Amino acid sequence: MSAISSELSAELPPEGGPAEPDLPAGTGPYRLAWRRLRRNRVSMFFGLVFLLIVILCLLAPVYAQDIAHMGPNAGSPTTQITIGGKTEFVTNSVGVPIGPTWNFSKYFLGADSLGRNEAVRLLYGGRSSLEIGVVAMLITMVLGTVLGLLAGFYRGVTDGLISRVSDVIWSFPVVILGIALATVINVQGLGPLHSTTLMTTAVVIGFVYIPYVVRPVRAQVLGLREREFVDAARQQGLSGPRIMFSELLPNLSSTLVVFVPLILANAILLEAGLSYLGAGVQPPNASWGTMLEQGLQLFPGGFSTVLVPGVMLVLTVMSVNIFGDGLRDALDPRSKVAR
Amino acid sequence: MARFVIRRLITMVLMLIVISFVTFLLFIVALPGGNPAALIAGRLATPAEVHLISVRYGFDKPIWVQYVRTMANLFDGSAYSYQEGFNVMGAITRGAPATLSLSIGAGVFWLLSSIGLGTLAAVRSGRYTDRVLTVLSMVGVSMPPFLLGAVLIYYVSYKAGVLPINGYISFTVSPWQWFRHLIGPWITLSVLFIGFYSRVLRGSILDAQGEDYVRTARAKGLSERRVLVRHILRMSLLPIISLWGLDIAQVIGGGAILTESVWGLHGIGQLAFNAIGAFDTVTLLAIVLLTAICVVVMSALVDILYAVLDPRIRLG
Amino acid sequence: MSEPLLQIEDLAVRFRTDEGAVRAVDGVSLSVERGEVVAVVGESGSGKSVTGMTLMGLTRGPNAEISGSARLDGRELLTMSNRELRAVRGNDIAMVFQDPMSSLNPVYRVGDQIVEQIRTHQQLSRQQAMARAVELMERVGVPRAAERLRSYPHEFSGGMRQRVMIAMALSCSPKLLIADEPTTALDVTIQAQILEELRQLRSETNAGIILVTHDLAVVADIADRVVVMYSGRVVEQGTLDELFYDPQHPYTWGLLGSITRVDSDRSARLPAIDGMPPSLLAPPPGCHFQPRCPHAFERCGEVPELSPRTPDSPGHLDRCWLEVERKRTLRLVDGQIGLAAPVRA
């Protein structure tokens, strides 16, 4: 019997879960992820909710002109409206604004303390909040990815510098960092940035989240750069930047895709926090954060001016988060870890 | 083990020196307001007066001399705010009780709640309880603290009158009032962390469920409870404990500003906020140092805890 | 005739997944006598490990559907309550897993891990349990056992860890030991030592052993009887000699043919079975091996029963429609047992 030796499994496929059924050959990982994502109804639903919110906010001028007949900064405390034959001021004698009228053309969601149309401002504010969120997310993603790639690929001094600086930034609370940066820029200006542009807030938020992308990207690049395909690229004489962007970057894409909704959600939240503290979007620009801040100044009166932007903000951020959660599960079905 | 701790402590001190020097450079010399002497002298001062103040405060000395002197002042409590004139150490010690009460209380609350909820979600994975908890945690991580605080104050404090509206009462004045005044802030600060931590813990428990050694533990005939507590939780808690270390440090160093602001607690966060608004660099430097010390100390503690919990780190 | 130690009848295990039901085990019947070593052979995904884990209740879960019967000493394992099952696990049935590197908990001393199992099932003090652990470690050949019990798993080599796993499995004197690829992750020399431990164990304790493996060399070394599994089904079972010298199922031929022999022509490519194992989500109708079998004919569209088909040996069962005499000629490839190359159109 001893003539029989060694094992026979060399040609057998590796152990693993059941193969995906009846897929055509060459179905790429993103097609597979998309199939899995589509099957996750909750995620898809909230993805659509987010899309709807974006579309509504983009249609803000249409609503303002054709339905509400007033712009985001129009109206005053002494503006009068007639509902059900009764005419009243949009704010009462102690300055508390009226609540929702549920009448699409007349202060649908009530007024704010200055008598402006809350519904119109909500849509315009949403445009600002989303714009800031998206721009901040793009800044974070691009700079975070580039710095993470550089640190992981070149290691040594480059890595030491990038990693230590991002460690230090990462150690401080994002809100405090954000306030500090925004205050300096608002007072002193920085190139094209100054207190009246939304981009100041976007740049500040984009900056403080950079380390949250640099760290995981760097860690993954450190692993990838030891792999054979990178060796092969080096043997072919490809330059460092070429290897980073055409060999390593595609391999990072699923990680990066997962970060997009995560950073977007947090950027929108941070905008609200900074604006609440007066370090974000500056009046008279509307954003959900500034609307919340103005609503809270009336406290405890006119609580609808807090609830209206608040509900919208939470709904938006939650939609992004739930969609992002589903996206992560779809891209990496095995990983159940949140981050 | 002792060597591990000593090595960790030395790195810690070095880190602190570097961070404090960098922030000193950024805040005192390079960043806002330019020459501190001009700030002290005020807008109407002549160049000669500014120069005089420069010499008196030592702003003409080399940077490292200024650094050592400022650090010494901070540590012996004789540093004063250039703008406001108050003693910086005094301001910090006045703000510290509120912030420490808030952050430590909330820290314990959010850690324990997320361990409970995260474990529950993992054990009931895929079932009704898990789905409800997932939705709740998603709401939690999507809720800005000041909004949650405002909603609590409006409905629970103002409408129902169950909790005080705002303010901080010292523990030494009345432990009960101290507790009552902190319930709202604790919840406000914790919800976001609970949402996030419980998701992380659920994930790491589910990952650990698939480990070979967990299968071995089940095959030994241990009860599910024992498998969970002894074989799964011990390793699964590591990621959230290291998150906790950094978050607590940040919250002490002013990160709870939104909660402090909405609940009217005059803590470190408020102090930092005011200092930024006034370009009060010395106070800011002190707060940055406080945060850095907390971060470095907490991460050292987390590292040591890791080593205690996982023998491979200790010996390897 | 008394009932065997373990009697499995028509065991089926299905897992519900997003893509559909996975039939991991699809009607397995086998028995193990006391003191007998039964080898379960097959490639990855054939259901051999799932069968072993199901006996221990390790596959139970909201997405698992388990049917059939598995009796240990006459007690039904599949319908047992979780509480009863825990008393059986580690006590009456013990299991040694494939990868000793990851099967021990890295954060506890090995002694504590053995003691934990002993004290779960027996009323012993910590000291008594520790003494028993020392004894077990010595028995499986760990030198300086008392001292090494205080070590952590990462301080052991793979072979030593597998000995610890075996010591742990033996700690409550199980009636049945399920060894799931116990030597796969180990060097060949260590493999031989571990097999020797199993052999000794069998003769000393009269325990039944199920050895799950894909390594026919191990089978030849230690097994009394062999069960060949393919795609969730038993395709052939018989004594070691029957299986090696008179294999009835083409899949078994393929397995035997793909073994390297000392006397084989080294320039020739090692023959492998053509094609891939079928998807467990949508297995082919009839004989599961039919799509890869060069000898398939119309009848293979029906599922062949697992039954004795050789006239002279009633214990030798298989699932193949071919005539016995025809098989004996078809299975010869270049004078040796093997699976003929597929006929290509």
Side-chain angles (χ1 to χ4, degrees), chain B residues 127 212-213 215-216 218-224 226 230-231 234-235 309-312 314-315, chain C residues 53 56 58 86 89-90 97 102-108 113 116-117 120-121 152 154 165 168:
Chain B
R127 294 187 222 174
D212 288 350
Y213 62 78
R215 186 179 58 184
T216 308
R218 293 220 168 85
K220 281 156 82 170
L222 306 186
S223 66
E224 267 311 301
R226 195 175 165 91
R230 255 179 76 89
H231 291 270
R234 178 161 171 168
M235 291 305 270
L309 288 177
D310 189 346
R312 285 169 300 181
R314 196 186 318 159
L315 302 154
Chain C
M53 304 228 305
M56 300 277 281
L58 293 175
R86 279 203 298 274
R89 280 179 190 168
F97 294 101
S102 57
S103 293
L104 288 164
N105 192 326
V107 302
Y108 294 111
Q113 299 190 49
E116 184 180 37
Q117 174 162 5
T120 301
H121 299 288
Y152 288 95
H154 67 271
M165 284 299 291
M168 200 151 85

CSV table of all heavy atoms in Angstrom, one decimal, chain B residues 127 212-213 215-216 218-224 226 230-231 234-235 309-312 314-315, chain C residues 53 56 58 86 89-90 97 102-108 113 116-117 120-121 152 154 165 168:
chain,number,residue,atom,x,y,z
B,127,ARG,N,-32.2,38.6,12.3
B,127,ARG,CA,-33.6,38.5,12.7
B,127,ARG,C,-34.1,39.9,13.0
B,127,ARG,O,-33.5,40.9,12.8
B,127,ARG,CB,-33.6,37.6,14.0
B,127,ARG,CG,-33.2,36.2,13.7
B,127,ARG,CD,-33.5,35.3,14.9
B,127,ARG,NE,-32.3,34.4,15.0
B,127,ARG,CZ,-32.2,33.6,16.1
B,127,ARG,NH1,-33.1,33.6,17.0
B,127,ARG,NH2,-31.2,32.8,16.1
B,212,ASP,N,-12.0,29.6,13.4
B,212,ASP,CA,-11.8,28.2,13.7
B,212,ASP,C,-11.9,27.9,15.2
B,212,ASP,O,-12.4,26.9,15.7
B,212,ASP,CB,-10.5,27.6,13.2
B,212,ASP,CG,-10.6,27.5,11.6
B,212,ASP,OD1,-11.7,27.7,11.1
B,212,ASP,OD2,-9.5,27.3,11.0
B,213,TYR,N,-11.2,28.8,16.0
B,213,TYR,CA,-11.2,28.5,17.5
B,213,TYR,C,-12.5,28.7,18.1
B,213,TYR,O,-12.8,28.0,19.2
B,213,TYR,CB,-10.1,29.4,18.2
B,213,TYR,CG,-10.3,30.8,18.1
B,213,TYR,CD1,-11.2,31.5,19.0
B,213,TYR,CD2,-9.5,31.6,17.3
B,213,TYR,CE1,-11.4,32.9,19.0
B,213,TYR,CE2,-9.7,33.0,17.3
B,213,TYR,CZ,-10.6,33.6,18.1
B,213,TYR,OH,-10.8,35.0,18.1
B,215,ARG,N,-15.3,27.6,16.6
B,215,ARG,CA,-15.9,26.3,16.2
B,215,ARG,C,-15.3,25.3,17.2
B,215,ARG,O,-16.1,24.4,17.7
B,215,ARG,CB,-15.5,26.0,14.8
B,215,ARG,CG,-16.1,24.7,14.3
B,215,ARG,CD,-15.7,24.4,12.9
B,215,ARG,NE,-14.3,24.3,12.7
B,215,ARG,CZ,-13.6,24.1,11.6
B,215,ARG,NH1,-14.3,24.1,10.5
B,215,ARG,NH2,-12.3,24.0,11.6
B,216,THR,N,-14.0,25.3,17.5
B,216,THR,CA,-13.5,24.4,18.5
B,216,THR,C,-14.1,24.5,19.8
B,216,THR,O,-14.5,23.5,20.4
B,216,THR,CB,-11.9,24.7,18.7
B,216,THR,OG1,-11.3,24.7,17.4
B,216,THR,CG2,-11.3,23.6,19.5
B,218,ARG,N,-17.1,25.5,20.5
B,218,ARG,CA,-18.5,24.9,20.4
B,218,ARG,C,-18.3,23.4,20.5
B,218,ARG,O,-19.1,22.7,21.1
B,218,ARG,CB,-19.2,25.3,19.1
B,218,ARG,CG,-19.5,26.7,19.1
B,218,ARG,CD,-20.9,27.0,18.5
B,218,ARG,NE,-21.3,28.4,18.7
B,218,ARG,CZ,-21.0,29.4,17.9
B,218,ARG,NH1,-20.3,29.1,16.8
B,218,ARG,NH2,-21.3,30.6,18.2
B,219,ALA,N,-17.3,22.9,19.7
B,219,ALA,CA,-17.2,21.4,19.6
B,219,ALA,C,-16.8,20.8,21.0
B,219,ALA,O,-17.0,19.6,21.2
B,219,ALA,CB,-16.1,21.1,18.6
B,220,LYS,N,-16.2,21.7,21.9
B,220,LYS,CA,-15.9,21.2,23.2
B,220,LYS,C,-17.1,21.0,24.1
B,220,LYS,O,-17.0,20.5,25.1
B,220,LYS,CB,-15.0,22.2,23.9
B,220,LYS,CG,-13.5,22.1,23.4
B,220,LYS,CD,-12.8,23.4,23.6
B,220,LYS,CE,-12.3,23.6,25.0
B,220,LYS,NZ,-11.4,24.7,25.1
B,221,GLY,N,-18.2,21.5,23.6
B,221,GLY,CA,-19.5,21.3,24.4
B,221,GLY,C,-19.7,22.5,25.3
B,221,GLY,O,-20.5,22.4,26.3
B,222,LEU,N,-19.1,23.6,25.1
B,222,LEU,CA,-19.3,24.8,26.0
B,222,LEU,C,-20.7,25.4,25.7
B,222,LEU,O,-21.2,25.3,24.6
B,222,LEU,CB,-18.2,25.9,25.8
B,222,LEU,CG,-16.8,25.4,25.9
B,222,LEU,CD1,-15.9,26.7,25.7
B,222,LEU,CD2,-16.5,24.7,27.2
B,223,SER,N,-21.2,26.0,26.7
B,223,SER,CA,-22.5,26.7,26.5
B,223,SER,C,-22.3,27.9,25.6
B,223,SER,O,-21.2,28.5,25.5
B,223,SER,CB,-23.1,27.1,27.8
B,223,SER,OG,-22.3,28.1,28.4
B,224,GLU,N,-23.4,28.3,24.9
B,224,GLU,CA,-23.3,29.4,23.9
B,224,GLU,C,-22.8,30.7,24.7
B,224,GLU,O,-22.1,31.5,24.2
B,224,GLU,CB,-24.7,29.7,23.3
B,224,GLU,CG,-24.9,29.0,22.0
B,224,GLU,CD,-23.7,29.2,21.0
B,224,GLU,OE1,-23.4,30.4,20.6
B,224,GLU,OE2,-23.1,28.2,20.6
B,226,ARG,N,-20.9,30.9,27.3
B,226,ARG,CA,-19.5,30.8,27.6
B,226,ARG,C,-18.7,31.0,26.3
B,226,ARG,O,-17.6,31.7,26.4
B,226,ARG,CB,-19.2,29.4,28.2
B,226,ARG,CG,-17.8,29.4,28.9
B,226,ARG,CD,-17.6,28.1,29.6
B,226,ARG,NE,-16.2,28.0,29.9
B,226,ARG,CZ,-15.6,28.4,31.1
B,226,ARG,NH1,-16.4,28.9,32.0
B,226,ARG,NH2,-14.4,28.2,31.3
B,230,ARG,N,-16.3,34.1,26.7
B,230,ARG,CA,-14.8,33.8,26.8
B,230,ARG,C,-14.1,33.8,25.5
B,230,ARG,O,-12.9,34.2,25.4
B,230,ARG,CB,-14.6,32.5,27.5
B,230,ARG,CG,-14.2,32.6,28.9
B,230,ARG,CD,-14.1,31.2,29.6
B,230,ARG,NE,-12.8,30.6,29.1
B,230,ARG,CZ,-11.7,30.7,29.7
B,230,ARG,NH1,-11.6,31.4,30.8
B,230,ARG,NH2,-10.6,30.0,29.3
B,231,HIS,N,-14.7,33.3,24.5
B,231,HIS,CA,-14.0,33.0,23.2
B,231,HIS,C,-14.3,34.1,22.1
B,231,HIS,O,-13.4,34.2,21.3
B,231,HIS,CB,-14.3,31.6,22.7
B,231,HIS,CG,-13.7,30.6,23.6
B,231,HIS,ND1,-12.4,30.1,23.4
B,231,HIS,CD2,-14.2,30.0,24.6
B,231,HIS,CE1,-12.2,29.2,24.3
B,231,HIS,NE2,-13.2,29.1,25.1
B,234,ARG,N,-13.9,38.6,23.9
B,234,ARG,CA,-12.5,39.1,24.3
B,234,ARG,C,-11.8,39.8,23.2
B,234,ARG,O,-11.2,40.8,23.3
B,234,ARG,CB,-11.7,38.0,24.9
B,234,ARG,CG,-10.4,38.4,25.3
B,234,ARG,CD,-9.8,37.4,26.3
B,234,ARG,NE,-8.4,37.8,26.5
B,234,ARG,CZ,-7.6,37.3,27.5
B,234,ARG,NH1,-8.2,36.4,28.3
B,234,ARG,NH2,-6.4,37.6,27.6
B,235,MET,N,-11.8,39.1,22.0
B,235,MET,CA,-11.1,39.6,20.9
B,235,MET,C,-11.9,40.7,20.2
B,235,MET,O,-11.4,41.7,19.7
B,235,MET,CB,-10.7,38.5,19.9
B,235,MET,CG,-9.6,37.6,20.4
B,235,MET,SD,-8.1,38.4,20.9
B,235,MET,CE,-7.2,38.4,19.4
B,309,LEU,N,-4.5,41.7,26.8
B,309,LEU,CA,-5.6,40.8,26.2
B,309,LEU,C,-5.1,39.9,25.2
B,309,LEU,O,-5.6,38.8,25.0
B,309,LEU,CB,-6.7,41.7,25.6
B,309,LEU,CG,-7.6,42.4,26.7
B,309,LEU,CD1,-8.6,43.2,26.0
B,309,LEU,CD2,-8.3,41.4,27.6
B,310,ASP,N,-4.1,40.2,24.5
B,310,ASP,CA,-3.6,39.4,23.4
B,310,ASP,C,-2.1,39.0,23.6
B,310,ASP,O,-1.2,39.8,23.3
B,310,ASP,CB,-3.8,40.0,22.0
B,310,ASP,CG,-3.5,39.1,20.9
B,310,ASP,OD1,-2.9,38.0,21.2
B,310,ASP,OD2,-3.9,39.4,19.8
B,311,PRO,N,-1.8,37.8,24.1
B,311,PRO,CA,-0.4,37.5,24.4
B,311,PRO,C,0.5,37.5,23.2
B,311,PRO,O,1.7,37.6,23.4
B,311,PRO,CB,-0.6,36.0,25.0
B,311,PRO,CG,-1.9,35.5,24.4
B,311,PRO,CD,-2.8,36.7,24.3
B,312,ARG,N,0.0,37.4,22.0
B,312,ARG,CA,0.9,37.4,20.8
B,312,ARG,C,1.6,38.7,20.7
B,312,ARG,O,2.7,38.8,20.3
B,312,ARG,CB,0.1,37.1,19.6
B,312,ARG,CG,-0.3,35.7,19.4
B,312,ARG,CD,-1.4,35.5,18.3
B,312,ARG,NE,-2.6,36.3,18.6
B,312,ARG,CZ,-3.6,36.3,17.8
B,312,ARG,NH1,-3.6,35.6,16.7
B,312,ARG,NH2,-4.7,37.0,18.1
B,314,ARG,N,2.2,40.8,23.3
B,314,ARG,CA,3.1,41.0,24.5
B,314,ARG,C,4.4,40.3,24.2
B,314,ARG,O,5.5,40.8,24.5
B,314,ARG,CB,2.4,40.3,25.7
B,314,ARG,CG,2.9,40.6,27.0
B,314,ARG,CD,2.3,39.8,28.1
B,314,ARG,NE,0.8,39.7,27.8
B,314,ARG,CZ,0.1,38.7,28.4
B,314,ARG,NH1,0.7,37.8,29.1
B,314,ARG,NH2,-1.2,38.6,28.1
B,315,LEU,N,4.4,39.1,23.7
B,315,LEU,CA,5.6,38.3,23.6
B,315,LEU,C,6.3,38.5,22.2
B,315,LEU,O,7.4,38.3,22.1
B,315,LEU,CB,5.3,36.8,23.8
B,315,LEU,CG,4.6,36.6,25.2
B,315,LEU,CD1,3.8,35.3,25.1
B,315,LEU,CD2,5.7,36.4,26.2
C,53,MET,N,-19.4,17.8,10.7
C,53,MET,CA,-19.8,18.9,11.6
C,53,MET,C,-21.3,18.8,12.0
C,53,MET,O,-21.7,19.1,13.1
C,53,MET,CB,-19.6,20.2,10.9
C,53,MET,CG,-18.2,20.4,10.5
C,53,MET,SD,-17.4,22.0,10.9
C,53,MET,CE,-18.5,23.1,10.2
C,56,MET,N,-22.0,16.8,15.1
C,56,MET,CA,-21.7,17.6,16.3
C,56,MET,C,-22.8,18.7,16.5
C,56,MET,O,-22.7,19.5,17.4
C,56,MET,CB,-20.4,18.2,16.2
C,56,MET,CG,-19.2,17.3,16.1
C,56,MET,SD,-18.7,16.6,17.6
C,56,MET,CE,-17.8,17.9,18.3
C,58,LEU,N,-22.8,21.3,14.7
C,58,LEU,CA,-22.2,22.6,14.4
C,58,LEU,C,-22.7,23.3,13.2
C,58,LEU,O,-22.4,24.4,12.9
C,58,LEU,CB,-20.7,22.3,14.2
C,58,LEU,CG,-19.9,21.9,15.5
C,58,LEU,CD1,-18.5,21.6,15.2
C,58,LEU,CD2,-20.0,23.0,16.6
C,86,ARG,N,-24.9,19.6,23.8
C,86,ARG,CA,-23.7,20.1,24.4
C,86,ARG,C,-23.1,19.1,25.3
C,86,ARG,O,-21.9,19.0,25.4
C,86,ARG,CB,-24.0,21.4,25.2
C,86,ARG,CG,-24.1,22.6,24.3
C,86,ARG,CD,-23.9,23.9,25.1
C,86,ARG,NE,-24.9,24.0,26.1
C,86,ARG,CZ,-26.0,24.6,25.9
C,86,ARG,NH1,-26.3,25.1,24.8
C,86,ARG,NH2,-26.9,24.8,26.9
C,89,ARG,N,-21.2,16.8,22.8
C,89,ARG,CA,-20.1,17.4,22.2
C,89,ARG,C,-18.9,17.4,23.1
C,89,ARG,O,-19.0,17.8,24.2
C,89,ARG,CB,-20.4,18.9,21.9
C,89,ARG,CG,-21.2,19.2,20.7
C,89,ARG,CD,-21.3,20.7,20.7
C,89,ARG,NE,-22.3,21.1,19.6
C,89,ARG,CZ,-22.8,22.3,19.6
C,89,ARG,NH1,-22.4,23.2,20.4
C,89,ARG,NH2,-23.6,22.6,18.6
C,90,GLY,N,-17.8,17.0,22.6
C,90,GLY,CA,-16.6,17.1,23.4
C,90,GLY,C,-16.5,16.0,24.4
C,90,GLY,O,-15.5,15.7,25.0
C,97,PHE,N,-9.8,19.4,14.2
C,97,PHE,CA,-10.1,20.1,12.9
C,97,PHE,C,-8.8,20.2,12.1
C,97,PHE,O,-7.7,19.9,12.5
C,97,PHE,CB,-10.5,21.5,13.3
C,97,PHE,CG,-11.9,21.5,13.9
C,97,PHE,CD1,-12.0,21.7,15.3
C,97,PHE,CD2,-13.0,21.4,13.1
C,97,PHE,CE1,-13.3,21.7,15.9
C,97,PHE,CE2,-14.3,21.4,13.7
C,97,PHE,CZ,-14.4,21.5,15.1
C,102,SER,N,-5.1,27.7,13.6
C,102,SER,CA,-6.2,28.6,13.9
C,102,SER,C,-7.3,28.0,14.8
C,102,SER,O,-8.2,28.7,15.2
C,102,SER,CB,-6.8,29.2,12.6
C,102,SER,OG,-7.3,28.1,11.8
C,103,SER,N,-7.2,26.7,15.1
C,103,SER,CA,-8.2,26.0,15.8
C,103,SER,C,-8.1,26.2,17.3
C,103,SER,O,-9.0,25.9,18.1
C,103,SER,CB,-8.3,24.6,15.5
C,103,SER,OG,-8.7,24.4,14.1
C,104,LEU,N,-7.0,26.7,17.8
C,104,LEU,CA,-6.8,26.9,19.2
C,104,LEU,C,-7.0,28.4,19.5
C,104,LEU,O,-6.5,29.2,18.7
C,104,LEU,CB,-5.5,26.5,19.7
C,104,LEU,CG,-5.3,25.0,19.8
C,104,LEU,CD1,-3.8,24.6,20.0
C,104,LEU,CD2,-6.1,24.4,21.0
C,105,ASN,N,-7.6,28.8,20.6
C,105,ASN,CA,-7.8,30.2,20.8
C,105,ASN,C,-6.5,30.8,21.2
C,105,ASN,O,-5.8,30.4,22.1
C,105,ASN,CB,-8.8,30.4,22.0
C,105,ASN,CG,-9.2,31.8,22.1
C,105,ASN,OD1,-8.5,32.8,21.9
C,105,ASN,ND2,-10.5,32.0,22.5
C,106,PRO,N,-6.0,31.9,20.4
C,106,PRO,CA,-4.7,32.4,20.6
C,106,PRO,C,-4.5,33.1,21.9
C,106,PRO,O,-3.3,33.3,22.3
C,106,PRO,CB,-4.5,33.4,19.4
C,106,PRO,CG,-5.9,33.7,19.0
C,106,PRO,CD,-6.7,32.5,19.3
C,107,VAL,N,-5.5,33.5,22.6
C,107,VAL,CA,-5.3,34.3,23.8
C,107,VAL,C,-5.3,33.5,25.1
C,107,VAL,O,-5.2,34.1,26.2
C,107,VAL,CB,-6.3,35.5,23.9
C,107,VAL,CG1,-6.2,36.3,22.7
C,107,VAL,CG2,-7.7,35.0,24.1
C,108,TYR,N,-5.6,32.2,25.1
C,108,TYR,CA,-5.5,31.4,26.3
C,108,TYR,C,-4.4,30.4,26.3
C,108,TYR,O,-4.1,29.9,25.2
C,108,TYR,CB,-6.9,30.7,26.5
C,108,TYR,CG,-8.0,31.6,26.8
C,108,TYR,CD1,-9.0,31.8,25.8
C,108,TYR,CD2,-8.1,32.4,27.9
C,108,TYR,CE1,-10.1,32.7,26.0
C,108,TYR,CE2,-9.1,33.3,28.2
C,108,TYR,CZ,-10.1,33.4,27.2
C,108,TYR,OH,-11.1,34.3,27.4
C,113,GLN,N,-7.2,25.7,28.0
C,113,GLN,CA,-8.1,25.3,27.0
C,113,GLN,C,-8.5,23.8,27.1
C,113,GLN,O,-9.7,23.4,26.9
C,113,GLN,CB,-7.6,25.6,25.6
C,113,GLN,CG,-7.4,27.1,25.4
C,113,GLN,CD,-7.1,27.4,23.9
C,113,GLN,OE1,-7.8,27.0,23.0
C,113,GLN,NE2,-6.0,28.2,23.7
C,116,GLU,N,-10.6,23.5,30.4
C,116,GLU,CA,-12.0,24.1,30.1
C,116,GLU,C,-12.9,23.0,29.6
C,116,GLU,O,-14.0,22.8,30.1
C,116,GLU,CB,-11.9,25.2,29.1
C,116,GLU,CG,-13.3,25.9,28.9
C,116,GLU,CD,-13.2,27.0,27.9
C,116,GLU,OE1,-12.4,26.9,26.9
C,116,GLU,OE2,-13.9,28.0,28.1
C,117,GLN,N,-12.4,22.2,28.7
C,117,GLN,CA,-13.2,21.1,28.2
C,117,GLN,C,-13.5,20.0,29.2
C,117,GLN,O,-14.6,19.5,29.4
C,117,GLN,CB,-12.6,20.5,26.9
C,117,GLN,CG,-13.3,19.2,26.4
C,117,GLN,CD,-13.0,18.9,25.0
C,117,GLN,OE1,-12.1,19.5,24.4
C,117,GLN,NE2,-13.7,17.9,24.5
C,120,THR,N,-16.0,21.1,31.8
C,120,THR,CA,-17.3,21.3,31.2
C,120,THR,C,-18.1,20.0,31.4
C,120,THR,O,-19.3,20.0,31.6
C,120,THR,CB,-17.3,21.7,29.8
C,120,THR,OG1,-16.6,22.9,29.6
C,120,THR,CG2,-18.7,21.9,29.2
C,121,HIS,N,-17.4,18.9,31.3
C,121,HIS,CA,-18.1,17.6,31.3
C,121,HIS,C,-17.9,16.7,32.5
C,121,HIS,O,-18.6,15.8,32.7
C,121,HIS,CB,-17.7,16.8,30.0
C,121,HIS,CG,-18.0,17.4,28.7
C,121,HIS,ND1,-19.3,17.6,28.3
C,121,HIS,CD2,-17.2,18.1,27.8
C,121,HIS,CE1,-19.3,18.2,27.1
C,121,HIS,NE2,-18.0,18.5,26.8
C,152,TYR,N,1.3,29.6,25.3
C,152,TYR,CA,0.2,30.0,24.4
C,152,TYR,C,0.3,29.2,23.1
C,152,TYR,O,1.4,28.9,22.7
C,152,TYR,CB,0.3,31.5,24.2
C,152,TYR,CG,-0.1,32.3,25.4
C,152,TYR,CD1,0.8,32.7,26.3
C,152,TYR,CD2,-1.5,32.5,25.7
C,152,TYR,CE1,0.5,33.4,27.5
C,152,TYR,CE2,-1.8,33.2,26.8
C,152,TYR,CZ,-0.9,33.7,27.7
C,152,TYR,OH,-1.3,34.3,28.8
C,154,HIS,N,0.6,30.1,20.1
C,154,HIS,CA,1.6,30.6,19.1
C,154,HIS,C,3.0,30.2,19.4
C,154,HIS,O,3.9,30.4,18.6
C,154,HIS,CB,1.5,32.1,18.9
C,154,HIS,CG,1.9,32.9,20.1
C,154,HIS,ND1,1.0,33.3,21.1
C,154,HIS,CD2,3.1,33.4,20.4
C,154,HIS,CE1,1.7,33.9,22.0
C,154,HIS,NE2,2.9,34.0,21.6
C,165,MET,N,-4.6,19.6,20.1
C,165,MET,CA,-6.0,19.4,19.7
C,165,MET,C,-6.4,17.9,19.9
C,165,MET,O,-7.5,17.7,20.4
C,165,MET,CB,-6.1,19.7,18.2
C,165,MET,CG,-6.1,21.2,17.8
C,165,MET,SD,-7.5,22.1,18.6
C,165,MET,CE,-8.9,21.4,17.7
C,168,MET,N,-6.9,17.4,23.5
C,168,MET,CA,-8.1,18.0,24.0
C,168,MET,C,-9.3,17.1,23.6
C,168,MET,O,-10.2,16.9,24.4
C,168,MET,CB,-8.2,19.3,23.3
C,168,MET,CG,-9.1,20.3,24.0
C,168,MET,SD,-8.6,21.9,23.7
C,168,MET,CE,-9.3,22.3,22.2
